[in-house]
Amino acid sequence: MRYTLDLNRIPLADYQTLLANQNLLPGRRLLHDGIDRHFQALSAEKIETLAQLKQRLSAPQKLAALAAATSISEEYLVLLKREIGSLEQKPVPLTAFPGLDESLLNLLRKQGIVTSKDVLERGEAASELFYLCDLARINGVGGVAARAFYEAGYRSVADVAAADAKEMLTRVSAVNAEHGYYKAKLGEKDMQFCIDFARLIERFS
């Protein structure tokens, strides 16, 4: 199982759709402005995959050249570079998952298994911990959100990919209201982003 998305396999158009539907942080909401025009300009530069776009943004000189070629502002491209970087989900420490037995964590630590990536690569499949770590592959989902999803009945990336955003929000919010796993106020659009990202994982990891 590949832990992160394979950016070489993600068409630029698929990423545009994901970005357009994403509930962006305030500092990155500029990415929604003129998104159709900007991505058409990127496509005209023969950029077909997300990996190709990341490569064209990988250094200041390359980014400046792409801005000149597409008439997209460097400010926009810098934000786009940061947003693409956030797609490659980092491994989550096992200590970040609520409710795990300390003796289990100690046993796993002795085996060199200390992150979600370690579990997926070396752990026992179909265990609670395996499923929590699978959920943590979704962009923006850390240990507490994975636990809330799991207890709401979404026990894998596949479960999230098949979910309905409105129902998912209701179920996850009910779990969080009972246990207080996180303080953030999530909405239906946040659930839809998780669903869309889970579908990307299923297709491109």
Side-chain angles (χ1 to χ4, degrees), residues 70-112:
T70 59
S71 298
I72 301 173
S73 72
E74 290 192 32
E75 178 188 9
Y76 187 95
L77 293 178
V78 167
L79 290 177
L80 186 58
K81 177 182 178 179
R82 292 173 183 167
E83 193 61 35
I84 293 170
S86 73
L87 290 181
E88 296 177 290
Q89 185 79 331
K90 294 178 175 58
V92 176
L94 298 186
T95 53
F97 293 100
L100 294 181
D101 185 82
E102 188 63 32
S103 62
L104 172 62
L105 293 177
N106 288 334
L107 178 62
L108 292 172
R109 192 177 298 116
K110 291 176 182 177
Q111 300 174 42

Coordinates of all heavy atoms in Angstrom, one line a residue, residues 70-112:
T70 N 2.3 32.2 -18.3 CA 0.8 32.0 -18.2 C 0.0 33.3 -17.8 O -1.2 33.3 -17.8 CB 0.5 31.0 -17.1 OG1 1.1 31.4 -15.9 CG2 1.1 29.6 -17.5
S71 N 0.8 34.4 -17.4 CA 0.2 35.6 -16.9 C -0.6 35.4 -15.6 O -1.5 36.1 -15.2 CB -0.8 36.2 -17.9 OG -0.1 36.6 -19.1
I72 N -0.2 34.3 -14.9 CA -0.7 34.1 -13.5 C 0.3 34.7 -12.6 O 1.5 34.6 -12.7 CB -0.8 32.6 -13.2 CG1 -1.7 31.9 -14.2 CG2 -1.2 32.3 -11.8 CD1 -1.7 30.3 -14.1
S73 N -0.2 35.4 -11.6 CA 0.7 36.1 -10.6 C 1.5 35.2 -9.9 O 1.2 34.0 -9.6 CB -0.2 37.0 -9.7 OG -0.8 36.1 -8.7
E74 N 2.7 35.6 -9.5 CA 3.6 34.8 -8.7 C 3.0 34.5 -7.4 O 3.2 33.5 -6.8 CB 5.0 35.5 -8.6 CG 5.8 35.5 -9.9 CD 7.2 35.9 -9.7 OE1 7.8 35.6 -8.6 OE2 7.8 36.5 -10.6
E75 N 2.3 35.5 -6.8 CA 1.6 35.3 -5.5 C 0.7 34.1 -5.6 O 0.7 33.2 -4.7 CB 0.8 36.5 -5.1 CG 0.1 36.4 -3.8 CD -0.9 37.6 -3.6 OE1 -1.1 38.4 -4.5 OE2 -1.4 37.6 -2.4
Y76 N -0.1 34.0 -6.7 CA -1.0 32.9 -6.8 C -0.2 31.6 -6.9 O -0.6 30.6 -6.3 CB -1.9 33.1 -8.1 CG -3.0 32.0 -8.3 CD1 -4.2 32.3 -7.8 CD2 -2.7 30.8 -8.9 CE1 -5.3 31.4 -8.0 CE2 -3.7 29.9 -9.0 CZ -5.0 30.2 -8.6 OH -6.0 29.2 -8.7
L77 N 0.8 31.5 -7.7 CA 1.6 30.3 -7.9 C 2.3 29.9 -6.6 O 2.5 28.7 -6.4 CB 2.6 30.5 -9.0 CG 2.0 30.6 -10.4 CD1 3.1 30.9 -11.5 CD2 1.1 29.4 -10.8
V78 N 2.8 30.8 -5.8 CA 3.4 30.5 -4.5 C 2.4 29.8 -3.6 O 2.7 28.8 -3.0 CB 4.0 31.7 -3.8 CG1 4.3 31.4 -2.4 CG2 5.2 32.2 -4.6
L79 N 1.2 30.3 -3.6 CA 0.1 29.7 -2.8 C -0.2 28.3 -3.3 O -0.5 27.4 -2.5 CB -1.1 30.6 -2.8 CG -1.0 31.9 -2.0 CD1 -2.3 32.7 -2.1 CD2 -0.8 31.7 -0.5
L80 N -0.3 28.2 -4.6 CA -0.6 26.9 -5.2 C 0.5 25.9 -4.9 O 0.2 24.7 -4.6 CB -0.7 27.1 -6.8 CG -1.2 25.9 -7.6 CD1 -2.5 25.4 -7.1 CD2 -1.2 26.2 -9.0
K81 N 1.7 26.3 -4.9 CA 2.8 25.4 -4.6 C 2.7 24.9 -3.1 O 2.9 23.7 -2.9 CB 4.2 26.2 -4.7 CG 5.4 25.4 -4.3 CD 6.7 26.2 -4.4 CE 7.9 25.4 -4.0 NZ 9.1 26.2 -4.1
R82 N 2.3 25.8 -2.2 CA 2.1 25.4 -0.8 C 1.0 24.4 -0.7 O 1.0 23.5 0.1 CB 1.9 26.7 0.0 CG 3.2 27.5 0.2 CD 2.8 28.8 0.9 NE 4.0 29.7 0.9 CZ 3.9 31.0 1.3 NH1 2.7 31.6 1.6 NH2 5.0 31.8 1.3
E83 N -0.1 24.7 -1.4 CA -1.3 23.9 -1.3 C -1.0 22.5 -1.8 O -1.4 21.5 -1.2 CB -2.5 24.5 -2.0 CG -3.8 23.9 -1.7 CD -4.2 24.0 -0.3 OE1 -3.9 25.0 0.4 OE2 -4.8 23.0 0.2
I84 N -0.3 22.4 -2.9 CA 0.1 21.1 -3.5 C 1.0 20.3 -2.5 O 0.8 19.1 -2.3 CB 0.8 21.3 -4.8 CG1 -0.2 21.8 -5.9 CG2 1.4 19.9 -5.3 CD1 0.5 22.2 -7.2
G85 N 1.9 21.0 -1.8 CA 2.8 20.4 -0.9 C 2.0 19.8 0.3 O 2.4 18.8 0.8
S86 N 0.9 20.4 0.6 CA 0.1 19.9 1.8 C -0.7 18.6 1.4 O -1.2 17.9 2.3 CB -1.0 20.9 2.2 OG -2.0 21.1 1.3
L87 N -0.7 18.2 0.1 CA -1.4 17.0 -0.3 C -0.7 15.8 0.1 O -1.3 14.7 0.3 CB -1.6 17.0 -1.8 CG -2.6 18.0 -2.4 CD1 -2.7 17.8 -3.9 CD2 -4.0 17.8 -1.8
E88 N 0.6 15.9 0.2 CA 1.4 14.7 0.6 C 1.4 14.5 2.1 O 2.3 15.1 2.8 CB 2.8 14.9 0.0 CG 2.8 15.0 -1.5 CD 4.1 15.2 -2.2 OE1 4.7 16.3 -2.0 OE2 4.7 14.3 -2.8
Q89 N 0.4 13.8 2.5 CA 0.2 13.6 4.0 C 1.3 13.0 4.7 O 1.9 12.0 4.3 CB -1.1 12.7 4.1 CG -1.6 12.6 5.6 CD -2.4 13.8 6.1 OE1 -2.2 14.9 5.6 NE2 -3.3 13.5 7.0
K90 N 1.7 13.7 5.8 CA 2.9 13.2 6.6 C 2.4 12.1 7.5 O 1.2 12.2 8.0 CB 3.5 14.4 7.3 CG 4.2 15.4 6.4 CD 4.7 16.6 7.2 CE 5.5 17.5 6.3 NZ 4.7 18.1 5.3
P91 N 3.3 11.2 7.9 CA 2.9 10.2 8.8 C 2.5 10.8 10.2 O 3.1 11.8 10.6 CB 4.2 9.3 9.0 CG 4.9 9.6 7.7 CD 4.6 11.0 7.3
V92 N 1.5 10.2 10.8 CA 1.0 10.7 12.1 C 1.6 9.8 13.2 O 1.6 8.6 13.1 CB -0.5 10.6 12.1 CG1 -1.1 11.0 13.5 CG2 -1.1 11.4 11.0
P93 N 2.2 10.5 14.2 CA 2.7 9.7 15.4 C 1.6 8.9 16.0 O 0.5 9.4 16.2 CB 3.2 10.7 16.3 CG 3.4 12.0 15.5 CD 2.4 11.9 14.4
L94 N 1.9 7.6 16.4 CA 0.8 6.8 17.0 C 0.3 7.4 18.3 O -0.8 7.2 18.7 CB 1.4 5.4 17.2 CG 1.8 4.6 16.0 CD1 2.2 3.2 16.3 CD2 0.7 4.6 14.9
T95 N 1.1 8.2 19.0 CA 0.7 8.8 20.2 C -0.4 9.9 20.0 O -1.0 10.3 21.0 CB 1.9 9.5 20.9 OG1 2.6 10.3 20.0 CG2 2.9 8.4 21.4
A96 N -0.6 10.3 18.7 CA -1.6 11.3 18.4 C -3.0 10.7 18.3 O -4.0 11.5 18.3 CB -1.3 12.0 17.1
F97 N -3.1 9.4 18.3 CA -4.4 8.7 18.2 C -5.0 8.5 19.6 O -4.4 7.8 20.4 CB -4.4 7.4 17.5 CG -4.0 7.5 16.1 CD1 -2.7 7.2 15.7 CD2 -4.9 7.8 15.1 CE1 -2.3 7.3 14.3 CE2 -4.6 7.9 13.8 CZ -3.3 7.6 13.4
P98 N -6.1 9.1 20.0 CA -6.7 8.9 21.3 C -7.2 7.5 21.5 O -7.6 6.8 20.6 CB -7.9 9.9 21.3 CG -7.7 10.8 20.2 CD -6.9 10.1 19.2
G99 N -7.1 7.0 22.7 CA -7.7 5.7 23.1 C -6.8 4.5 22.9 O -7.3 3.4 23.0
L100 N -5.6 4.7 22.5 CA -4.7 3.5 22.3 C -4.1 3.1 23.6 O -3.7 4.0 24.4 CB -3.6 3.8 21.2 CG -4.1 4.1 19.8 CD1 -2.9 4.3 18.9 CD2 -5.0 2.9 19.3
D101 N -4.0 1.8 23.8 CA -3.4 1.3 25.0 C -1.9 1.6 25.0 O -1.2 1.3 24.1 CB -3.6 -0.2 25.1 CG -3.2 -0.8 26.4 OD1 -3.9 -0.7 27.4 OD2 -2.1 -1.3 26.4
E102 N -1.4 2.1 26.2 CA 0.0 2.4 26.3 C 0.9 1.2 26.1 O 2.0 1.3 25.6 CB 0.3 3.1 27.6 CG 1.7 3.7 27.8 CD 1.9 4.8 26.8 OE1 1.0 5.5 26.4 OE2 3.1 5.0 26.4
S103 N 0.5 0.1 26.6 CA 1.3 -1.1 26.5 C 1.5 -1.5 25.0 O 2.5 -2.0 24.6 CB 0.7 -2.3 27.3 OG -0.6 -2.6 26.8
L104 N 0.4 -1.3 24.2 CA 0.5 -1.6 22.8 C 1.5 -0.6 22.1 O 2.3 -1.1 21.3 CB -0.9 -1.4 22.1 CG -0.9 -1.5 20.6 CD1 -0.4 -2.9 20.1 CD2 -2.3 -1.2 20.1
L105 N 1.4 0.6 22.5 CA 2.3 1.6 21.9 C 3.8 1.3 22.3 O 4.7 1.4 21.4 CB 2.0 3.0 22.4 CG 0.7 3.6 21.9 CD1 0.4 5.0 22.6 CD2 0.6 3.7 20.4
N106 N 4.0 0.8 23.5 CA 5.4 0.5 23.9 C 5.9 -0.8 23.1 O 7.0 -0.8 22.7 CB 5.4 0.2 25.4 CG 5.3 1.4 26.3 OD1 5.6 2.5 25.8 ND2 4.7 1.3 27.5
L107 N 5.0 -1.7 22.9 CA 5.4 -2.9 22.2 C 5.7 -2.6 20.8 O 6.7 -3.0 20.2 CB 4.2 -3.9 22.2 CG 4.4 -5.2 21.4 CD1 5.6 -6.0 22.0 CD2 3.1 -6.1 21.4
L108 N 4.9 -1.7 20.1 CA 5.1 -1.3 18.8 C 6.4 -0.5 18.7 O 7.2 -0.6 17.7 CB 4.0 -0.5 18.2 CG 2.7 -1.3 18.0 CD1 1.5 -0.4 17.7 CD2 2.8 -2.4 17.0
R109 N 6.7 0.3 19.7 CA 7.9 1.2 19.7 C 9.1 0.3 19.7 O 10.1 0.6 19.0 CB 7.8 2.1 20.9 CG 8.9 3.2 20.9 CD 8.8 4.1 22.1 NE 7.5 4.8 22.1 CZ 6.5 4.6 23.1 NH1 6.8 3.8 24.0 NH2 5.4 5.3 23.0
K110 N 9.1 -0.8 20.4 CA 10.2 -1.7 20.5 C 10.5 -2.3 19.1 O 11.6 -2.8 18.8 CB 10.0 -2.8 21.5 CG 10.0 -2.2 22.9 CD 9.7 -3.3 23.9 CE 9.7 -2.8 25.4 NZ 9.3 -3.8 26.3
Q111 N 9.4 -2.4 18.3 CA 9.6 -3.0 16.9 C 9.9 -1.9 15.9 O 10.0 -2.2 14.7 CB 8.3 -3.7 16.6 CG 7.9 -4.9 17.5 CD 6.6 -5.4 17.2 OE1 6.2 -5.6 16.0 NE2 5.8 -5.7 18.2
G112 N 10.1 -0.7 16.3 CA 10.3 0.4 15.4 C 9.1 0.9 14.7 O 9.2 1.6 13.7

